[in-house]
Amino acid sequence: MNKVSPPPSFARPASADVARAQFDALMAAHPDLHYVDAVLADVIGTLRGKRLAIGEAGKLFESGMQIPHSIYLMDAHGEMTNPFGRGIGDGDPDGTAWPIPGTFALVWGDGAPRAQVLMTLRDGQGAADPAEPRAALERVMERFAEIKLTPVCALELEFYLIDRLRDANGAPQPPLDPRSGAREHTASVYGIDDLDRYAAFLASLTNAAKTQNVPVSATSKEYAPGQFEANLRHQSDARMAADHAVFLKQIVKAAARANGFEAAACTSI
């Protein structure tokens, strides 16, 4: 891959070399990769970013990725609402995003083989964007460190499998039971039979989690029709716990699509 020299105003972080070494190791182990998704998580946990052909990925480590600072402040529909004058109000300036070491993973699912890496958006002096959720968490972690405490965190996501088809009014509806074909309509919290009936979806979820290094520890049936829960293992690095939750949302949706469903309302507690 050709290396591109960054403009002098870009503060290239030392971590870019660590990230490059990790990417090279991933490429050596998986030479069939076609793309790399360079992604950022916005304030509601939606992944946004750019997909690069594998031959273009080297620029991520040399000159970073140019993307607007407003990327973190989209609403749930992906619309720019100009919060605090960011976006339309300030001309929507770009910052430079850099790969975060330790966040490279393969992406599970259909399509050409690809990897992804989580990015952090910086200004020309290398300072993190104040709206970046991960940077906000780091500021909280610094306050814990000042009093010699380490938050140990684990998150769990509750979500609904829903039918791809909407009802006569255009509203979401519960899925069809994979075993009987009947519409789900009853509550069945912690039902093991429910896990058996949705075994194919749960197997996809397990495989996707393993592929993307997301430590899912347990799954269970929740109260409502089509509602499930997935638990993540505890982490002594709160940033890693949050990263896992964001990527769990991604793999729940991918596993749902692979089994003929949609997934909705992936919320963490």
Side-chain angles (χ1 to χ4, degrees), residues 89-101:
D90 61 0
D92 210 16
D94 277 354
T96 305
W98 297 94
I100 300 173

Side-chain angles (χ1 to χ4, degrees), residues 4 9 13 24-25 38 46 60 103 105 155 162 175 189 197 212 254 259-260 264:
V4 179
S9 61
D24 289 344
T46 298
L60 294 174
T103 64
L155 293 95
I162 59 175
V189 67
R197 290 188 291 113
Q212 296 192 208
N259 288 275

Side-chain angles (χ1 to χ4, degrees), residues 152-155 214-218 231-236 240-241 244:
V152 177
C153 306
L155 293 95
V214 176
V216 174
S217 64
N231 305 126
L232 294 163
R233 295 194 196 101
H234 286 81
Q235 306 293 328
S236 58
M240 184 176 292
H244 289 159

